[in-house]
């Protein structure tokens, strides 16, 4: 008997007394959080698209980072808001796999785009005379495509392996579907799934090592001149803050899902499970929007122009 017939729906047991008692408060907070995510990311995307002088590699990568945030959060927030007022918090087998695919590919794509942004800053500061010959329009398009396709292919492989497992349960102890939670329900051996999973994790940890190495070179180069220090503080500090934001959020969720204590309250588990879907999508565009003067000035100019047109 196939796993689809054995388990046609999953029950999300992450919803507890707190989510039931304070469902109205959680609804407004969640709606506010998702609205802010949509607002700040769409605002930055529109600013970059409409402002011609922002059509540079760094801002194109930033635009893709914001687009990816909209893609990833769309897999969680609408379903969570619906579940808050539902008596049966369930999700179909296919819907569960799709949710895992979107959320995990979102997280992996964030890392890929941050690597591209680190590489762009490395070339701009360490090899400024070669910047325009290295970061050509065609190369930027190719890098953006790779940063999106590779995570999709990695996650597709993971999900294909997960879909072949026969499951002996239907209870997922989270607010949304997670691959590790599905693997724990398997009747079969998950050794190969774990091996592939760790290969993917180490692959993206390699991304982090690349970023650290590039920043070692960036710091060395920036210290040589006042202009280099200015460029570093203006464009690299926001990138480092976004990287730290994403890395800490993902590691908390990833490590706790596998090795966390079972004695921790469900409320704490829920917060740790969703914080990488809350903080990076909000903070990344705000950090860049406030720190990069070109983005900030362009946004203010577009808002002023819109008011004048409406007036």
């Amino acid at each position: 008997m196939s796993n689809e017939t054995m388990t046609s729906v999953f029950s999300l047991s992450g919803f507890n007394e707190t989510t039931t008692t304070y469902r109205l408060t959680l609804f407004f907070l969640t709606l506010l959080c998702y609205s802010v995510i949509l607002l700040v990311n769409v605002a930055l995307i529109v600013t970059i698209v409409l402002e011609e002088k922002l059509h540079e590699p760094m801002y194109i990568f930033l635009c893709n980072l914001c687009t990816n945030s909209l893609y990833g959060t769309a897999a969680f927030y609408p379903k969570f808001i619906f579940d808050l007022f539902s008596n049966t918090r369930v999700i179909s087998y296919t819907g569960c796999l799709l949710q895992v695919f979107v959320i995990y590919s979102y997280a992996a794509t964030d890392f890929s785009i941050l690597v591209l942004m680190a590489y762009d800053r490395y070339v701009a500061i360490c090899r400024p005379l070669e910047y325009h010959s290295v970061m050509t329009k065609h190369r930027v398009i190719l890098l953006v495509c790779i940063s999106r396709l590779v995570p999709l292919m990695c996650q597709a492989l993971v999900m294909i392996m997960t879909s072949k497992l026969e499951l002996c349960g239907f209870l997922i102890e989270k607010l949304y579907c997670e691959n590790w939670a599905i693997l724990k329900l398997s009747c079969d051996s998950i050794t190969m799934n774990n091996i592939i999973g760790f290969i993917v994790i180490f692959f993206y940890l390699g991304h982090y090592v690349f970023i650290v190495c590039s920043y070692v070179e960036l710091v060395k180069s920036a210290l040589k001149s006042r202009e280099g220090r200015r460029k570093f503080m203006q464009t690299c500090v926001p990138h480092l803050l976004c990287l730290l934001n994403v890395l800490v959020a993902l590691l908390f969720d990833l490590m706790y899902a596998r090795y966390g204590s079972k004695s921790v309250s469900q409320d704490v588990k829920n917060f740790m499970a969703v914080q990488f879907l809350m903080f990076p999508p909000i903070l990344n565009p705000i950090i860049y929007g406030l720190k990069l003067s070109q983005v900030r000035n362009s946004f203010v100019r577009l808002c002023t122009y819109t008011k004048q047109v409406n007036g």
Side-chain angles (χ1 to χ4, degrees):
M1 184 180 293
S2 68
N3 51 346
E4 290 91 341
T5 55
M6 290 178 63
T7 307
S8 58
V9 295
F10 291 102
S11 177
L12 302 173
S13 65
F15 292 87
N16 57 2
E17 290 183 6
T18 302
T19 54
T20 303
T21 305
Y22 299 101
R23 68 173 67 189
L24 197 59
T25 303
L26 286 173
F27 167 75
F28 284 113
L29 289 175
T30 303
L31 190 61
L32 176 63
C33 181
Y34 192 40
S35 298
V36 171
I37 289 172
L38 293 175
L39 178 64
V40 295
N41 283 280
V42 170
L44 202 54
I45 291 169
V46 171
T47 301
I48 293 171
V49 169
L50 294 182
E51 194 69 33
E52 191 172 346
K53 69 179 181 180
L54 295 181
H55 294 177
E56 298 176 8
M58 182 176 68
Y59 302 111
I60 293 172
F61 296 147
L62 176 57
C63 186
N64 274 275
L65 190 68
C66 293
T67 304
N68 188 55
S69 293
L70 297 177
Y71 161 77
T73 53
F76 169 71
Y77 283 96
K79 176 71 169 88
F80 177 71
I81 291 172
F82 174 80
D83 284 340
L84 281 175
F85 293 97
S86 174
N87 293 323
T88 56
R89 282 77 180 243
V90 298
I91 185 170
S92 68
Y93 177 85
T94 304
C96 186
L97 294 184
L98 180 61
Q99 190 177 52
V100 173
F101 175 81
V102 173
I103 291 176
Y104 276 50
S105 59
Y106 144 74
T109 302
D110 253 17
F111 252 102
S112 297
I113 295 173
L114 288 170
V115 166
L116 295 186
M117 296 173 82
Y119 176 68
D120 174 77
R121 291 301 84 203
Y122 166 78
V123 177
I125 295 176
C126 298
R127 298 160 58 187
L129 298 179
E130 303 173 39
Y131 182 76
H132 292 292
S133 61
V134 173
M135 301 302 291
T136 62
K137 179 181 177 181
H138 294 295
R139 181 165 294 176
V140 169
I141 293 173
L142 177 63
L143 290 174
V144 168
C145 291
I146 291 174
S147 72
R148 302 197 74 87
L149 289 176
V150 172
L152 290 176
M153 289 189 291
C154 287
Q155 194 52 43
L157 174 61
V158 172
M159 296 320 300
I160 288 171
M161 295 189 66
T162 299
S163 67
K164 293 184 179 297
L165 296 174
E166 290 196 3
L167 305 180
C168 295
F170 60 91
L171 200 63
I172 292 180
E173 299 175 353
K174 294 193 78 167
L175 299 172
Y176 60 88
C177 285
E178 180 203 49
N179 193 54
W180 179 246
I182 298 175
L183 294 182
K184 290 194 294 185
L185 300 175
S186 174
C187 310
D188 306 324
S189 170
I190 58 171
T191 303
M192 280 305 300
N193 299 76
N194 277 326
I195 292 173
I196 296 297
F198 278 115
I199 289 174
V200 172
I201 290 171
F202 282 115
F203 174 67
Y204 283 99
L205 283 178
H207 286 42
Y208 179 71
V209 173
F210 174 86
I211 293 174
V212 171
C213 292
S214 69
Y215 267 89
V216 170
E217 295 300 319
L218 280 169
V219 171
K220 289 180 181 178
S221 179
L223 292 176
K224 293 178 182 178
S225 67
R226 181 177 296 179
E227 178 64 18
R229 288 193 294 271
R230 187 189 67 80
K231 281 186 177 180
F232 182 86
M233 292 302 296
Q234 185 180 32
T235 62
C236 296
V237 170
H239 179 266
L240 282 174
L241 291 174
C242 289
L243 176 65
L244 185 64
N245 183 24
V246 172
L247 182 66
V248 171
L250 285 176
L251 282 180
F252 266 160
D253 182 60
L254 192 64
M255 293 297 102
Y256 187 81
R258 290 174 177 262
Y259 309 113
S261 171
K262 294 183 178 179
S263 62
V264 176
S265 70
Q266 187 62 47
D267 293 330
V268 175
K269 291 180 183 178
N270 288 342
F271 175 76
M272 296 184 72
V274 302
Q275 42 94 28
F276 82 98
L277 290 162
M278 291 171 54
F279 299 123
I282 293 176
L283 294 180
N284 289 352
I286 291 177
I287 289 170
Y288 273 100
L290 292 176
K291 186 67 179 174
L292 296 181
S293 57
Q294 277 189 292
V295 174
R296 186 173 63 251
N297 294 338
S298 295
F299 178 71
V300 171
R301 188 163 49 252
L302 285 173
C303 289
T304 304
Y305 175 76
T306 303
K307 286 182 181 179
Q308 290 174 351
V309 171
N310 291 337

